[in-house]
PDB file of all heavy atoms in Angstrom:
ATOM      1  N   TRP B  17      -3.637  21.830 -10.974  1.00 95.00           N
ATOM      2  CA  TRP B  17      -3.946  21.290 -12.351  1.00 95.00           C
ATOM      3  C   TRP B  17      -5.327  21.201 -12.591  1.00 95.00           C
ATOM      4  O   TRP B  17      -5.838  20.642 -13.682  1.00 95.00           O
ATOM      5  CB  TRP B  17      -3.347  19.868 -12.345  1.00 95.00           C
ATOM      6  CG  TRP B  17      -1.825  19.779 -12.437  1.00 95.00           C
ATOM      7  CD1 TRP B  17      -0.958  20.821 -12.789  1.00 95.00           C
ATOM      8  CD2 TRP B  17      -1.040  18.626 -12.159  1.00 95.00           C
ATOM      9  NE1 TRP B  17       0.253  20.351 -12.793  1.00 95.00           N
ATOM     10  CE2 TRP B  17       0.249  18.999 -12.375  1.00 95.00           C
ATOM     11  CE3 TRP B  17      -1.221  17.294 -11.738  1.00 95.00           C
ATOM     12  CZ2 TRP B  17       1.399  18.083 -12.268  1.00 95.00           C
ATOM     13  CZ3 TRP B  17      -0.266  16.386 -11.579  1.00 95.00           C
ATOM     14  CH2 TRP B  17       1.077  16.875 -11.859  1.00 95.00           C
ATOM     15  N   GLN B  18      -6.227  21.775 -11.729  1.00 96.00           N
ATOM     16  CA  GLN B  18      -7.699  21.819 -11.914  1.00 96.00           C
ATOM     17  C   GLN B  18      -8.244  20.417 -12.074  1.00 96.00           C
ATOM     18  O   GLN B  18      -8.988  20.100 -13.005  1.00 96.00           O
ATOM     19  CB  GLN B  18      -8.091  22.694 -13.039  1.00 96.00           C
ATOM     20  CG  GLN B  18      -7.667  24.217 -12.809  1.00 96.00           C
ATOM     21  CD  GLN B  18      -8.058  25.090 -13.901  1.00 96.00           C
ATOM     22  OE1 GLN B  18      -8.512  24.720 -14.995  1.00 96.00           O
ATOM     23  NE2 GLN B  18      -7.761  26.399 -13.706  1.00 96.00           N
ATOM     24  N   LEU B  19      -7.926  19.531 -11.212  1.00 96.00           N
ATOM     25  CA  LEU B  19      -8.359  18.124 -11.131  1.00 96.00           C
ATOM     26  C   LEU B  19      -8.875  17.880  -9.830  1.00 96.00           C
ATOM     27  O   LEU B  19      -8.779  18.678  -8.833  1.00 96.00           O
ATOM     28  CB  LEU B  19      -7.182  17.182 -11.434  1.00 96.00           C
ATOM     29  CG  LEU B  19      -6.432  17.263 -12.735  1.00 96.00           C
ATOM     30  CD1 LEU B  19      -5.108  16.487 -12.682  1.00 96.00           C
ATOM     31  CD2 LEU B  19      -7.340  16.748 -13.875  1.00 96.00           C
ATOM     32  N   GLU B  20      -9.443  16.664  -9.539  1.00 97.00           N
ATOM     33  CA  GLU B  20      -9.968  16.268  -8.297  1.00 97.00           C
ATOM     34  C   GLU B  20      -8.774  15.477  -7.611  1.00 97.00           C
ATOM     35  O   GLU B  20      -7.994  14.850  -8.227  1.00 97.00           O
ATOM     36  CB  GLU B  20     -11.168  15.295  -8.469  1.00 97.00           C
ATOM     37  CG  GLU B  20     -12.371  15.989  -9.007  1.00 97.00           C
ATOM     38  CD  GLU B  20     -12.999  17.057  -8.161  1.00 97.00           C
ATOM     39  OE1 GLU B  20     -12.998  16.790  -6.911  1.00 97.00           O
ATOM     40  OE2 GLU B  20     -13.375  18.087  -8.664  1.00 97.00           O
ATOM     41  N   SER B  21      -8.771  15.541  -6.215  1.00 97.00           N
ATOM     42  CA  SER B  21      -7.860  14.751  -5.459  1.00 97.00           C
ATOM     43  C   SER B  21      -8.688  13.632  -4.724  1.00 97.00           C
ATOM     44  O   SER B  21      -9.868  13.852  -4.483  1.00 97.00           O
ATOM     45  CB  SER B  21      -7.060  15.622  -4.490  1.00 97.00           C
ATOM     46  OG  SER B  21      -7.994  16.025  -3.475  1.00 97.00           O
ATOM     47  N   ARG B  22      -8.034  12.557  -4.438  1.00 98.00           N
ATOM     48  CA  ARG B  22      -8.661  11.471  -3.743  1.00 98.00           C
ATOM     49  C   ARG B  22      -7.616  10.860  -2.849  1.00 98.00           C
ATOM     50  O   ARG B  22      -6.368  10.786  -3.161  1.00 98.00           O
ATOM     51  CB  ARG B  22      -9.133  10.452  -4.801  1.00 98.00           C
ATOM     52  CG  ARG B  22      -9.901   9.274  -4.209  1.00 98.00           C
ATOM     53  CD  ARG B  22     -10.533   8.583  -5.393  1.00 98.00           C
ATOM     54  NE  ARG B  22     -11.275   7.351  -4.935  1.00 98.00           N
ATOM     55  CZ  ARG B  22     -11.983   6.556  -5.757  1.00 98.00           C
ATOM     56  NH1 ARG B  22     -12.170   6.958  -6.970  1.00 98.00           N
ATOM     57  NH2 ARG B  22     -12.611   5.530  -5.270  1.00 98.00           N
ATOM     58  N   ASP B  23      -8.080  10.334  -1.708  1.00 97.00           N
ATOM     59  CA  ASP B  23      -7.145   9.685  -0.705  1.00 97.00           C
ATOM     60  C   ASP B  23      -7.738   8.295  -0.344  1.00 97.00           C
ATOM     61  O   ASP B  23      -8.912   8.283   0.082  1.00 97.00           O
ATOM     62  CB  ASP B  23      -7.135  10.577   0.470  1.00 97.00           C
ATOM     63  CG  ASP B  23      -6.206  10.153   1.598  1.00 97.00           C
ATOM     64  OD1 ASP B  23      -6.199   8.858   1.829  1.00 97.00           O
ATOM     65  OD2 ASP B  23      -5.501  10.973   2.190  1.00 97.00           O
ATOM     66  N   THR B  24      -6.952   7.263  -0.517  1.00 97.00           N
ATOM     67  CA  THR B  24      -7.522   5.965  -0.302  1.00 97.00           C
ATOM     68  C   THR B  24      -7.805   5.643   1.238  1.00 97.00           C
ATOM     69  O   THR B  24      -8.706   4.929   1.517  1.00 97.00           O
ATOM     70  CB  THR B  24      -6.540   4.896  -0.791  1.00 97.00           C
ATOM     71  OG1 THR B  24      -5.207   5.012  -0.157  1.00 97.00           O
ATOM     72  CG2 THR B  24      -6.455   4.871  -2.341  1.00 97.00           C
ATOM     73  N   ASP B  25      -7.188   6.417   2.128  1.00 94.00           N
ATOM     74  CA  ASP B  25      -7.512   6.308   3.520  1.00 94.00           C
ATOM     75  C   ASP B  25      -8.959   6.768   3.714  1.00 94.00           C
ATOM     76  O   ASP B  25      -9.767   6.140   4.474  1.00 94.00           O
ATOM     77  CB  ASP B  25      -6.621   7.062   4.460  1.00 94.00           C
ATOM     78  CG  ASP B  25      -5.342   6.248   4.807  1.00 94.00           C
ATOM     79  OD1 ASP B  25      -5.210   5.053   4.476  1.00 94.00           O
ATOM     80  OD2 ASP B  25      -4.380   6.886   5.361  1.00 94.00           O
ATOM     81  N   THR B  26      -9.339   7.844   3.056  1.00 96.00           N
ATOM     82  CA  THR B  26     -10.695   8.308   3.139  1.00 96.00           C
ATOM     83  C   THR B  26     -11.713   7.324   2.530  1.00 96.00           C
ATOM     84  O   THR B  26     -12.740   7.038   3.073  1.00 96.00           O
ATOM     85  CB  THR B  26     -10.820   9.704   2.429  1.00 96.00           C
ATOM     86  OG1 THR B  26     -10.005  10.605   3.035  1.00 96.00           O
ATOM     87  CG2 THR B  26     -12.282  10.227   2.453  1.00 96.00           C
ATOM     88  N   ASP B  27     -11.278   6.734   1.407  1.00 97.00           N
ATOM     89  CA  ASP B  27     -12.176   5.664   0.770  1.00 97.00           C
ATOM     90  C   ASP B  27     -12.340   4.510   1.824  1.00 97.00           C
ATOM     91  O   ASP B  27     -13.433   3.917   1.922  1.00 97.00           O
ATOM     92  CB  ASP B  27     -11.463   5.162  -0.479  1.00 97.00           C
ATOM     93  CG  ASP B  27     -11.483   6.231  -1.643  1.00 97.00           C
ATOM     94  OD1 ASP B  27     -12.156   7.221  -1.457  1.00 97.00           O
ATOM     95  OD2 ASP B  27     -10.797   5.947  -2.644  1.00 97.00           O
ATOM     96  N   VAL B  28     -11.231   4.124   2.522  1.00 96.00           N
ATOM     97  CA  VAL B  28     -11.387   2.986   3.441  1.00 96.00           C
ATOM     98  C   VAL B  28     -12.331   3.483   4.532  1.00 96.00           C
ATOM     99  O   VAL B  28     -13.202   2.551   4.999  1.00 96.00           O
ATOM    100  CB  VAL B  28      -9.975   2.649   3.965  1.00 96.00           C
ATOM    101  CG1 VAL B  28     -10.091   1.685   5.252  1.00 96.00           C
ATOM    102  CG2 VAL B  28      -9.141   1.983   2.940  1.00 96.00           C
ATOM    103  N   GLU B  29     -12.171   4.630   5.062  1.00 95.00           N
ATOM    104  CA  GLU B  29     -13.080   5.109   6.108  1.00 95.00           C
ATOM    105  C   GLU B  29     -14.598   5.087   5.643  1.00 95.00           C
ATOM    106  O   GLU B  29     -15.523   4.703   6.444  1.00 95.00           O
ATOM    107  CB  GLU B  29     -12.708   6.507   6.569  1.00 95.00           C
ATOM    108  CG  GLU B  29     -11.409   6.513   7.443  1.00 95.00           C
ATOM    109  CD  GLU B  29     -10.909   7.878   7.824  1.00 95.00           C
ATOM    110  OE1 GLU B  29     -11.365   8.834   7.312  1.00 95.00           O
ATOM    111  OE2 GLU B  29     -10.051   7.877   8.717  1.00 95.00           O
ATOM    112  N   THR B  30     -14.786   5.478   4.421  1.00 96.00           N
ATOM    113  CA  THR B  30     -16.159   5.528   3.888  1.00 96.00           C
ATOM    114  C   THR B  30     -16.689   4.102   3.808  1.00 96.00           C
ATOM    115  O   THR B  30     -17.821   3.755   4.232  1.00 96.00           O
ATOM    116  CB  THR B  30     -16.145   6.162   2.537  1.00 96.00           C
ATOM    117  OG1 THR B  30     -15.709   7.525   2.734  1.00 96.00           O
ATOM    118  CG2 THR B  30     -17.566   6.152   1.860  1.00 96.00           C
ATOM    119  N   ALA B  31     -15.867   3.221   3.340  1.00 96.00           N
ATOM    120  CA  ALA B  31     -16.244   1.800   3.145  1.00 96.00           C
ATOM    121  C   ALA B  31     -16.575   1.133   4.536  1.00 96.00           C
ATOM    122  O   ALA B  31     -17.571   0.379   4.707  1.00 96.00           O
ATOM    123  CB  ALA B  31     -15.269   0.993   2.423  1.00 96.00           C
ATOM    124  N   ALA B  32     -15.739   1.488   5.504  1.00 96.00           N
ATOM    125  CA  ALA B  32     -15.847   0.776   6.831  1.00 96.00           C
ATOM    126  C   ALA B  32     -16.895   1.513   7.723  1.00 96.00           C
ATOM    127  O   ALA B  32     -17.336   1.034   8.695  1.00 96.00           O
ATOM    128  CB  ALA B  32     -14.417   0.810   7.505  1.00 96.00           C
ATOM    129  N   GLY B  33     -17.179   2.793   7.436  1.00 97.00           N
ATOM    130  CA  GLY B  33     -18.025   3.538   8.261  1.00 97.00           C
ATOM    131  C   GLY B  33     -17.350   3.974   9.573  1.00 97.00           C
ATOM    132  O   GLY B  33     -18.113   4.221  10.526  1.00 97.00           O
ATOM    133  N   LYS B  34     -16.045   4.033   9.591  1.00 96.00           N
ATOM    134  CA  LYS B  34     -15.289   4.456  10.812  1.00 96.00           C
ATOM    135  C   LYS B  34     -13.906   4.897  10.364  1.00 96.00           C
ATOM    136  O   LYS B  34     -13.467   4.675   9.278  1.00 96.00           O
ATOM    137  CB  LYS B  34     -15.269   3.339  11.897  1.00 96.00           C
ATOM    138  CG  LYS B  34     -14.858   1.941  11.375  1.00 96.00           C
ATOM    139  CD  LYS B  34     -15.044   0.896  12.492  1.00 96.00           C
ATOM    140  CE  LYS B  34     -15.216  -0.495  11.906  1.00 96.00           C
ATOM    141  NZ  LYS B  34     -15.553  -1.447  12.894  1.00 96.00           N
ATOM    142  N   SER B  35     -13.258   5.475  11.355  1.00 93.00           N
ATOM    143  CA  SER B  35     -11.868   5.967  11.072  1.00 93.00           C
ATOM    144  C   SER B  35     -10.886   4.769  10.907  1.00 93.00           C
ATOM    145  O   SER B  35     -11.129   3.689  11.289  1.00 93.00           O
ATOM    146  CB  SER B  35     -11.381   6.826  12.237  1.00 93.00           C
ATOM    147  OG  SER B  35     -11.116   5.947  13.371  1.00 93.00           O
ATOM    148  N   VAL B  36      -9.756   5.177  10.202  1.00 90.00           N
ATOM    149  CA  VAL B  36      -8.739   4.157  10.056  1.00 90.00           C
ATOM    150  C   VAL B  36      -8.279   3.602  11.426  1.00 90.00           C
ATOM    151  O   VAL B  36      -8.120   2.356  11.603  1.00 90.00           O
ATOM    152  CB  VAL B  36      -7.567   4.706   9.301  1.00 90.00           C
ATOM    153  CG1 VAL B  36      -6.333   3.858   9.341  1.00 90.00           C
ATOM    154  CG2 VAL B  36      -7.878   5.057   7.752  1.00 90.00           C
ATOM    155  N   ALA B  37      -8.108   4.524  12.365  1.00 87.00           N
ATOM    156  CA  ALA B  37      -7.660   4.081  13.666  1.00 87.00           C
ATOM    157  C   ALA B  37      -8.691   3.045  14.316  1.00 87.00           C
ATOM    158  O   ALA B  37      -8.263   2.011  14.908  1.00 87.00           O
ATOM    159  CB  ALA B  37      -7.454   5.222  14.650  1.00 87.00           C
ATOM    160  N   ASP B  38     -10.026   3.339  14.105  1.00 92.00           N
ATOM    161  CA  ASP B  38     -10.984   2.416  14.646  1.00 92.00           C
ATOM    162  C   ASP B  38     -10.972   1.072  13.977  1.00 92.00           C
ATOM    163  O   ASP B  38     -11.172   0.052  14.576  1.00 92.00           O
ATOM    164  CB  ASP B  38     -12.281   3.008  14.604  1.00 92.00           C
ATOM    165  CG  ASP B  38     -12.567   4.090  15.712  1.00 92.00           C
ATOM    166  OD1 ASP B  38     -11.749   4.184  16.612  1.00 92.00           O
ATOM    167  OD2 ASP B  38     -13.496   4.904  15.598  1.00 92.00           O
ATOM    168  N   VAL B  39     -10.743   1.109  12.636  1.00 94.00           N
ATOM    169  CA  VAL B  39     -10.630  -0.150  11.864  1.00 94.00           C
ATOM    170  C   VAL B  39      -9.469  -1.026  12.413  1.00 94.00           C
ATOM    171  O   VAL B  39      -9.648  -2.200  12.686  1.00 94.00           O
ATOM    172  CB  VAL B  39     -10.476   0.071  10.369  1.00 94.00           C
ATOM    173  CG1 VAL B  39     -10.219  -1.280   9.572  1.00 94.00           C
ATOM    174  CG2 VAL B  39     -11.699   0.819   9.759  1.00 94.00           C
ATOM    175  N   PHE B  40      -8.368  -0.382  12.726  1.00 86.00           N
ATOM    176  CA  PHE B  40      -7.181  -1.051  13.138  1.00 86.00           C
ATOM    177  C   PHE B  40      -7.532  -1.674  14.565  1.00 86.00           C
ATOM    178  O   PHE B  40      -7.232  -2.892  14.779  1.00 86.00           O
ATOM    179  CB  PHE B  40      -5.951  -0.146  13.412  1.00 86.00           C
ATOM    180  CG  PHE B  40      -4.992  -0.221  12.207  1.00 86.00           C
ATOM    181  CD1 PHE B  40      -5.252   0.519  11.093  1.00 86.00           C
ATOM    182  CD2 PHE B  40      -3.884  -0.956  12.317  1.00 86.00           C
ATOM    183  CE1 PHE B  40      -4.392   0.495  10.073  1.00 86.00           C
ATOM    184  CE2 PHE B  40      -2.928  -1.017  11.221  1.00 86.00           C
ATOM    185  CZ  PHE B  40      -3.129  -0.269  10.098  1.00 86.00           C
ATOM    186  N   VAL B  41      -8.063  -0.906  15.446  1.00 88.00           N
ATOM    187  CA  VAL B  41      -8.325  -1.344  16.803  1.00 88.00           C
ATOM    188  C   VAL B  41      -9.464  -2.365  16.881  1.00 88.00           C
ATOM    189  O   VAL B  41      -9.428  -3.383  17.522  1.00 88.00           O
ATOM    190  CB  VAL B  41      -8.658  -0.136  17.722  1.00 88.00           C
ATOM    191  CG1 VAL B  41      -9.220  -0.639  19.052  1.00 88.00           C
ATOM    192  CG2 VAL B  41      -7.415   0.801  17.828  1.00 88.00           C
ATOM    193  N   GLU B  42     -10.560  -2.126  16.159  1.00 94.00           N
ATOM    194  CA  GLU B  42     -11.729  -2.961  16.327  1.00 94.00           C
ATOM    195  C   GLU B  42     -11.668  -4.207  15.341  1.00 94.00           C
ATOM    196  O   GLU B  42     -12.234  -5.215  15.727  1.00 94.00           O
ATOM    197  CB  GLU B  42     -12.997  -2.127  15.974  1.00 94.00           C
ATOM    198  CG  GLU B  42     -13.252  -0.995  17.037  1.00 94.00           C
ATOM    199  CD  GLU B  42     -14.354  -0.066  16.534  1.00 94.00           C
ATOM    200  OE1 GLU B  42     -15.126  -0.358  15.693  1.00 94.00           O
ATOM    201  OE2 GLU B  42     -14.382   1.050  17.171  1.00 94.00           O
ATOM    202  N   ASP B  43     -11.105  -4.088  14.240  1.00 95.00           N
ATOM    203  CA  ASP B  43     -11.117  -5.121  13.240  1.00 95.00           C
ATOM    204  C   ASP B  43      -9.766  -5.732  12.885  1.00 95.00           C
ATOM    205  O   ASP B  43      -9.709  -6.761  12.292  1.00 95.00           O
ATOM    206  CB  ASP B  43     -11.766  -4.612  11.885  1.00 95.00           C
ATOM    207  CG  ASP B  43     -13.161  -3.986  12.089  1.00 95.00           C
ATOM    208  OD1 ASP B  43     -13.872  -4.540  12.904  1.00 95.00           O
ATOM    209  OD2 ASP B  43     -13.356  -2.909  11.469  1.00 95.00           O
ATOM    210  N   GLY B  44      -8.778  -5.006  13.244  1.00 92.00           N
ATOM    211  CA  GLY B  44      -7.404  -5.579  13.038  1.00 92.00           C
ATOM    212  C   GLY B  44      -6.680  -5.146  11.761  1.00 92.00           C
ATOM    213  O   GLY B  44      -7.443  -4.652  10.808  1.00 92.00           O
ATOM    214  N   GLU B  45      -5.353  -5.077  11.738  1.00 89.00           N
ATOM    215  CA  GLU B  45      -4.692  -4.647  10.616  1.00 89.00           C
ATOM    216  C   GLU B  45      -4.975  -5.442   9.339  1.00 89.00           C
ATOM    217  O   GLU B  45      -5.176  -4.806   8.278  1.00 89.00           O
ATOM    218  CB  GLU B  45      -3.140  -4.627  10.897  1.00 89.00           C
ATOM    219  CG  GLU B  45      -2.452  -4.042   9.656  1.00 89.00           C
ATOM    220  CD  GLU B  45      -0.866  -3.863   9.939  1.00 89.00           C
ATOM    221  OE1 GLU B  45      -0.474  -4.187  11.019  1.00 89.00           O
ATOM    222  OE2 GLU B  45      -0.196  -3.474   9.015  1.00 89.00           O
ATOM    223  N   PRO B  46      -5.036  -6.797   9.394  1.00 92.00           N
ATOM    224  CA  PRO B  46      -5.427  -7.569   8.246  1.00 92.00           C
ATOM    225  C   PRO B  46      -6.704  -7.099   7.504  1.00 92.00           C
ATOM    226  O   PRO B  46      -6.649  -7.007   6.227  1.00 92.00           O
ATOM    227  CB  PRO B  46      -5.438  -8.994   8.652  1.00 92.00           C
ATOM    228  CG  PRO B  46      -4.590  -9.100   9.890  1.00 92.00           C
ATOM    229  CD  PRO B  46      -4.806  -7.698  10.573  1.00 92.00           C
ATOM    230  N   HIS B  47      -7.758  -6.811   8.326  1.00 95.00           N
ATOM    231  CA  HIS B  47      -8.983  -6.250   7.726  1.00 95.00           C
ATOM    232  C   HIS B  47      -8.774  -4.966   7.107  1.00 95.00           C
ATOM    233  O   HIS B  47      -9.255  -4.636   5.995  1.00 95.00           O
ATOM    234  CB  HIS B  47     -10.021  -6.248   8.823  1.00 95.00           C
ATOM    235  CG  HIS B  47     -11.363  -5.775   8.298  1.00 95.00           C
ATOM    236  ND1 HIS B  47     -12.173  -6.508   7.509  1.00 95.00           N
ATOM    237  CD2 HIS B  47     -12.004  -4.663   8.458  1.00 95.00           C
ATOM    238  CE1 HIS B  47     -13.245  -5.863   7.178  1.00 95.00           C
ATOM    239  NE2 HIS B  47     -13.242  -4.648   7.762  1.00 95.00           N
ATOM    240  N   PHE B  48      -8.048  -4.089   7.760  1.00 93.00           N
ATOM    241  CA  PHE B  48      -7.725  -2.734   7.218  1.00 93.00           C
ATOM    242  C   PHE B  48      -6.993  -2.952   5.889  1.00 93.00           C
ATOM    243  O   PHE B  48      -7.346  -2.257   4.887  1.00 93.00           O
ATOM    244  CB  PHE B  48      -6.887  -1.908   8.166  1.00 93.00           C
ATOM    245  CG  PHE B  48      -6.384  -0.587   7.480  1.00 93.00           C
ATOM    246  CD1 PHE B  48      -7.237   0.408   7.253  1.00 93.00           C
ATOM    247  CD2 PHE B  48      -5.079  -0.584   7.053  1.00 93.00           C
ATOM    248  CE1 PHE B  48      -6.738   1.532   6.582  1.00 93.00           C
ATOM    249  CE2 PHE B  48      -4.615   0.510   6.397  1.00 93.00           C
ATOM    250  CZ  PHE B  48      -5.430   1.590   6.136  1.00 93.00           C
ATOM    251  N   ARG B  49      -5.969  -3.724   5.827  1.00 92.00           N
ATOM    252  CA  ARG B  49      -5.203  -3.985   4.685  1.00 92.00           C
ATOM    253  C   ARG B  49      -6.044  -4.464   3.509  1.00 92.00           C
ATOM    254  O   ARG B  49      -5.791  -4.088   2.316  1.00 92.00           O
ATOM    255  CB  ARG B  49      -3.949  -4.803   4.886  1.00 92.00           C
ATOM    256  CG  ARG B  49      -3.005  -4.260   5.813  1.00 92.00           C
ATOM    257  CD  ARG B  49      -2.334  -2.940   5.319  1.00 92.00           C
ATOM    258  NE  ARG B  49      -1.454  -2.341   6.326  1.00 92.00           N
ATOM    259  CZ  ARG B  49      -1.013  -1.045   6.390  1.00 92.00           C
ATOM    260  NH1 ARG B  49      -1.455  -0.317   5.402  1.00 92.00           N
ATOM    261  NH2 ARG B  49      -0.235  -0.657   7.240  1.00 92.00           N
ATOM    262  N   ALA B  50      -7.023  -5.301   3.774  1.00 95.00           N
ATOM    263  CA  ALA B  50      -7.912  -5.814   2.709  1.00 95.00           C
ATOM    264  C   ALA B  50      -8.797  -4.698   2.159  1.00 95.00           C
ATOM    265  O   ALA B  50      -8.942  -4.629   0.946  1.00 95.00           O
ATOM    266  CB  ALA B  50      -8.757  -7.000   3.291  1.00 95.00           C
ATOM    267  N   LEU B  51      -9.307  -3.861   3.057  1.00 96.00           N
ATOM    268  CA  LEU B  51     -10.048  -2.711   2.626  1.00 96.00           C
ATOM    269  C   LEU B  51      -9.209  -1.816   1.753  1.00 96.00           C
ATOM    270  O   LEU B  51      -9.601  -1.199   0.747  1.00 96.00           O
ATOM    271  CB  LEU B  51     -10.665  -1.947   3.856  1.00 96.00           C
ATOM    272  CG  LEU B  51     -11.786  -2.697   4.673  1.00 96.00           C
ATOM    273  CD1 LEU B  51     -12.066  -1.855   5.888  1.00 96.00           C
ATOM    274  CD2 LEU B  51     -13.016  -2.877   3.815  1.00 96.00           C
ATOM    275  N   GLU B  52      -8.012  -1.576   2.251  1.00 95.00           N
ATOM    276  CA  GLU B  52      -7.038  -0.667   1.604  1.00 95.00           C
ATOM    277  C   GLU B  52      -6.760  -1.145   0.196  1.00 95.00           C
ATOM    278  O   GLU B  52      -6.724  -0.433  -0.767  1.00 95.00           O
ATOM    279  CB  GLU B  52      -5.808  -0.465   2.388  1.00 95.00           C
ATOM    280  CG  GLU B  52      -4.737   0.397   1.798  1.00 95.00           C
ATOM    281  CD  GLU B  52      -3.553   0.565   2.769  1.00 95.00           C
ATOM    282  OE1 GLU B  52      -2.920  -0.481   3.133  1.00 95.00           O
ATOM    283  OE2 GLU B  52      -3.256   1.713   3.147  1.00 95.00           O
ATOM    284  N   ARG B  53      -6.445  -2.483   0.047  1.00 95.00           N
ATOM    285  CA  ARG B  53      -6.163  -3.117  -1.162  1.00 95.00           C
ATOM    286  C   ARG B  53      -7.347  -2.822  -2.207  1.00 95.00           C
ATOM    287  O   ARG B  53      -7.071  -2.498  -3.370  1.00 95.00           O
ATOM    288  CB  ARG B  53      -5.970  -4.598  -1.042  1.00 95.00           C
ATOM    289  CG  ARG B  53      -5.571  -5.373  -2.328  1.00 95.00           C
ATOM    290  CD  ARG B  53      -5.317  -6.895  -1.997  1.00 95.00           C
ATOM    291  NE  ARG B  53      -4.513  -7.096  -0.834  1.00 95.00           N
ATOM    292  CZ  ARG B  53      -5.060  -7.617   0.282  1.00 95.00           C
ATOM    293  NH1 ARG B  53      -6.342  -8.024   0.360  1.00 95.00           N
ATOM    294  NH2 ARG B  53      -4.285  -7.906   1.343  1.00 95.00           N
ATOM    295  N   THR B  54      -8.561  -2.994  -1.777  1.00 97.00           N
ATOM    296  CA  THR B  54      -9.679  -2.777  -2.631  1.00 97.00           C
ATOM    297  C   THR B  54      -9.834  -1.307  -3.009  1.00 97.00           C
ATOM    298  O   THR B  54     -10.109  -1.008  -4.238  1.00 97.00           O
ATOM    299  CB  THR B  54     -10.964  -3.228  -1.943  1.00 97.00           C
ATOM    300  OG1 THR B  54     -10.892  -4.641  -1.626  1.00 97.00           O
ATOM    301  CG2 THR B  54     -12.194  -2.919  -2.793  1.00 97.00           C
ATOM    302  N   ALA B  55      -9.574  -0.453  -2.010  1.00 97.00           N
ATOM    303  CA  ALA B  55      -9.646   1.066  -2.255  1.00 97.00           C
ATOM    304  C   ALA B  55      -8.645   1.461  -3.248  1.00 97.00           C
ATOM    305  O   ALA B  55      -8.878   2.279  -4.192  1.00 97.00           O
ATOM    306  CB  ALA B  55      -9.478   1.752  -0.941  1.00 97.00           C
ATOM    307  N   VAL B  56      -7.424   0.939  -3.229  1.00 97.00           N
ATOM    308  CA  VAL B  56      -6.358   1.326  -4.198  1.00 97.00           C
ATOM    309  C   VAL B  56      -6.699   0.805  -5.581  1.00 97.00           C
ATOM    310  O   VAL B  56      -6.626   1.589  -6.579  1.00 97.00           O
ATOM    311  CB  VAL B  56      -5.010   0.802  -3.729  1.00 97.00           C
ATOM    312  CG1 VAL B  56      -3.980   1.024  -4.721  1.00 97.00           C
ATOM    313  CG2 VAL B  56      -4.564   1.490  -2.415  1.00 97.00           C
TER     314      VAL B  56
END
């Protein structure tokens, strides 16, 4: 469609400065879900 694509997991990783897996392990799922909610 000649548009841009975006992925909220990538947005979360950018905001957190680390991978989704690292956010889960180091900060916990509740923190990840808060970042995800904001990203969406």
Side-chain angles (χ1 to χ4, degrees):
W17 288 342
Q18 299 179 356
L19 297 169
E20 296 292 320
S21 69
R22 184 167 175 174
D23 184 317
T24 58
D25 278 349
T26 301
D27 292 349
V28 167
E29 289 178 342
T30 300
K34 52 187 154 186
S35 72
V36 166
D38 286 346
V39 173
F40 263 84
V41 170
E42 296 170 15
D43 305 319
E45 185 176 358
H47 181 69
F48 169 77
R49 295 297 176 200
L51 292 172
E52 181 177 57
R53 183 179 316 109
T54 299
V56 171

